[in-house]
Amino acid sequence: LGLAGPALAVDPDRLRDGCVWRTTEEEAQHIQTCTFSSTSLGQDVTVQVRPSSNAPGSTEQGVYFLDGLGSNPEYSSWALPAAGAVDTYSTSYNLVMPAGGAGQWMTNWQQAPTGASAAPQWDTFVGEELPGYLADNFDIGTTNNAIVGVSMSGAPAVIIGLNHPDVFSVIRSYSGYYQTNSPFGWIAIPLIQILRANIDNGLSAMWGLPFSAGNAWAENDVSTRISVAAAN
């Protein structure tokens, strides 16, 4: 009575429901490509997971990797050999690699971006919905995880980590842009979304028009939010 069952993540060869081996190379590396319906995103979402090889009963944590501007809805660029993440990280860690969200800045939108039918809530998905899915299907813990972002997702990785300190205790960002709540941010981010992702309403739909009531540009500005980390 009261004993925990063996950790599911110690069985990296077993495909979970809704998961496939996308390629023979990824099967050899134990990278499962899983698709499920996301309430936060309002659509099916793909997440690649490399389960750990820990002994039964181990405490399982995940390293969440967020993709860059040109993210592909079918797989994460972090899972590709050129990224080096899978080969670099010990199999004692569960690697979690969400796919998709090109140009959507891995954040909670106030309105639907161009071409979408719903306003994606990436912060909610990564910080709340995805940890629950991973706990249920891979026995990955919902606390003391790490989150990593690059380029487009560099600043959002920090913001998500700060917004969900119970889930993430380690944050790493590569080549992110942090001063979003400034004239340069108001111009550069929507322009990048137009040129690279064909999203032409980012200025108003993502965080609301600057200076408008209820806009969230300041809430997503790492340069001002980072002080929260000192108290966390």
Side-chain angles (χ1 to χ4, degrees), residues 13-156:
D13 291 314
R14 181 174 64 82
L15 278 175
R16 274 56 169 184
D17 290 342
C19 303
V20 299
W21 305 119
R22 195 177 68 90
T23 66
T24 55
E25 291 80 8
E26 290 185 353
E27 181 177 4
Q29 292 182 304
H30 303 105
I31 302 171
Q32 303 187 23
T33 299
C34 306
T35 302
F36 60 95
S37 177
S38 167
T39 302
S40 304
L41 301 179
Q43 63 182 43
D44 287 349
V45 64
T46 295
V47 178
Q48 294 188 283
V49 181
R50 190 206 66 183
S52 82
S53 60
N54 292 333
S58 298
T59 300
E60 300 287 351
Q61 267 82 45
V63 183
Y64 291 52
F65 293 91
L66 306 186
D67 227 334
L69 188 64
S71 54
N72 187 301
E74 298 179 0
Y75 60 86
S76 169
S77 63
W78 287 101
L80 300 177
V86 176
D87 289 335
T88 300
Y89 275 77
S90 163
T91 57
S92 63
Y93 294 103
N94 298 274
L95 307 187
V96 179
M97 300 166 280
Q104 294 182 3
W105 235 255
M106 308 303 287
T107 190
N108 284 356
W109 284 63
Q110 296 189 357
Q111 302 173 37
T114 306
S117 59
Q121 306 294 295
W122 281 103
D123 186 299
T124 303
F125 172 73
V126 175
E128 298 177 20
E129 187 176 8
L130 183 54
Y133 168 82
L134 295 168
D136 291 342
N137 292 274
F138 292 89
D139 203 33
I140 298 173
T142 58
T143 60
N144 293 323
N145 297 290
I147 186 168
V148 182
V150 62
S151 186
M152 175 190 76
S153 65

Side-chain angles (χ1 to χ4, degrees), residues 89-228:
Y89 275 77
S90 163
T91 57
S92 63
Y93 294 103
N94 298 274
L95 307 187
V96 179
M97 300 166 280
Q104 294 182 3
W105 235 255
M106 308 303 287
T107 190
N108 284 356
W109 284 63
Q110 296 189 357
Q111 302 173 37
T114 306
S117 59
Q121 306 294 295
W122 281 103
D123 186 299
T124 303
F125 172 73
V126 175
E128 298 177 20
E129 187 176 8
L130 183 54
Y133 168 82
L134 295 168
D136 291 342
N137 292 274
F138 292 89
D139 203 33
I140 298 173
T142 58
T143 60
N144 293 323
N145 297 290
I147 186 168
V148 182
V150 62
S151 186
M152 175 190 76
S153 65
V158 178
I159 297 299
I160 293 171
L162 295 178
N163 288 347
H164 303 277
D166 52 333
V167 179
F168 303 106
S169 57
V170 175
I171 302 170
R172 174 160 286 185
S173 173
Y174 296 100
S175 303
Y177 181 70
Y178 309 127
Q179 294 175 318
T180 57
N181 192 34
S182 68
F184 186 79
W186 303 333
I187 294 171
I189 294 175
L191 182 61
I192 291 170
Q193 291 172 324
I194 292 171
L195 296 177
R196 296 289 301 278
N198 294 318
I199 296 174
D200 60 13
N201 65 346
L203 178 63
S204 60
M206 187 166 69
W207 295 325
L209 285 172
F211 300 112
S212 67
N215 85 83
W217 288 85
E219 296 171 21
N220 289 280
D221 190 304
V222 173
S223 65
T224 56
R225 288 285 311 277
I226 195 63
S227 61
V228 175

